[in-house]
Amino acid sequence: MTGVQTCALPISIRRISGQKNVPERREFIRVGLTGGFGTGKSTAAAIFRELGAYLVDADELARDSLRKGREEYREVISAFGDRILDRDGRIDRKALAAEVFSDAGKLARLNRIIHPGVIREIEKRLKAARETVRIAVIPLLFEAGLESNFDSLIVVTADRETVDQRVAVSRNMSKEEIALRRKAQLPLREKAAKADFIIDNNCSVDEIRAEVRLIMERLSRKYTSPHRGATN
């Protein structure tokens, strides 16, 4: 199949309820953005940023936590040995992934090391931000039980064929590696069932941008103060 798959905008934004976490109208909203492995969370996040949202990315914080000299770096080496290090003594993320994604117990151990610091840093950055819409991009948001930390939840979806094609090219991963990553997360349909907003990332970039723009408008109208920026 060739060409760009399109989708109808009224269908791709499937549910806009916000009934799970309805706060008082105030100056800002905390949003959790998640999705399945390779569904295109970063694409949607970049568009939210373009439209004025504040973004903090859990994956970026996790990578930073594994730098040499960090406490998490030392704990990960203690847990998994120096076989996960490259020649310069840095953690080889591909070697670490191979170590943990085939063993649920090892993956849980890694998450216990990394997640607490990442969650603290997310909270710190969301509180310090100045933007009205403040979004945390967290791949394992539901798996980590963080949904109650946010006023609204966005899930980015894409069909398996689309994900497999994208990830095979962008990350040079085999079907087996993709399957292991997918197995480590909740099924995408379960994530989508918990969402306030669903972004269909089988679409073209222009259609995704239209989806994101509509979500931004509805978030601002539903949650934030209509008097923001007013002067006496």
Side-chain angles (χ1 to χ4, degrees):
M1 181 177 179
T2 60
V4 177
Q5 182 174 353
T6 61
C7 51
L9 186 61
I11 296 174
S12 59
I13 298 183
R14 301 176 188 172
R15 180 149 67 102
I16 301 179
S17 62
Q19 295 302 307
K20 296 184 294 301
N21 304 296
V22 180
E24 297 179 0
R25 291 172 69 85
R26 47 190 171 80
E27 292 297 310
F28 66 92
I29 175 174
R30 296 161 54 98
V31 180
L33 188 153
T34 190
F37 175 70
T39 56
K41 296 177 289 296
S42 59
T43 298
I47 298 171
F48 275 110
R49 179 180 280 123
E50 289 176 11
L51 296 177
Y54 172 79
L55 263 293
V56 57
D57 189 311
D59 272 353
E60 291 180 4
L61 296 178
R63 285 193 291 270
D64 188 62
S65 74
L66 295 179
R67 287 187 296 107
K68 291 175 70 173
R70 295 286 299 267
E71 178 62 28
E72 291 90 342
Y73 169 88
R74 291 188 288 270
E75 290 186 28
V76 167
I77 295 173
S78 176
F80 302 107
D82 58 11
R83 61 185 173 276
I84 63 169
L85 299 178
D86 65 17
R87 293 180 179 179
D88 297 318
R90 295 175 300 213
I91 290 176
D92 182 325
R93 296 179 65 243
K94 193 172 185 65
L96 179 60
E99 182 78 19
V100 303
F101 280 106
S102 59
D103 187 316
K106 289 182 178 180
L107 180 59
R109 188 175 185 183
L110 177 65
N111 289 339
R112 286 194 298 271
I113 294 170
I114 294 177
H115 282 183
V118 169
I119 294 168
R120 286 193 299 269
E121 186 64 22
I122 287 172
E123 288 296 319
K124 177 182 176 181
R125 296 192 185 193
L126 289 177
K127 289 177 181 177
R130 302 295 296 271
E131 289 80 357
T132 301
V133 178
R134 305 176 188 181
I135 300 176
V137 184
I138 308 177
L140 299 181
L141 187 151
F142 294 115
E143 292 86 345
L146 299 176
E147 51 262 56
S148 63
N149 291 15
F150 299 96
D151 303 315
S152 193
L153 302 172
I154 300 170
V155 171
V156 182
T157 67
D159 62 50
R160 287 198 173 196
E161 180 181 0
T162 299
V163 169
D164 290 352
Q165 290 175 350
R166 287 175 181 165
V167 172
V169 173
S170 64
R171 307 192 195 186
N172 192 29
M173 295 179 68
S174 68
K175 290 183 178 180
E176 291 74 19
E177 289 174 311
I178 295 170
L180 286 173
R181 299 294 184 96
R182 188 176 281 132
K183 184 179 179 182
Q185 298 189 12
L186 285 176
L188 186 55
R189 65 180 179 277
E190 293 185 24
K191 296 186 179 188
K194 298 180 180 183
D196 298 303
F197 300 88
I198 298 171
I199 296 175
D200 182 351
N201 201 12
N202 295 302
C203 309
S204 70
V205 173
D206 285 342
E207 289 169 316
I208 295 167
R209 181 172 285 105
E211 294 184 71
V212 171
R213 187 181 298 278
L214 180 56
I215 292 172
M216 281 282 286
E217 292 173 356
R218 297 196 182 188
L219 285 173
S220 297
R221 185 167 63 246
K222 185 176 183 64
Y223 290 99
T224 59
S225 171
H227 304 298
R228 180 178 175 84
T231 57
N232 293 328

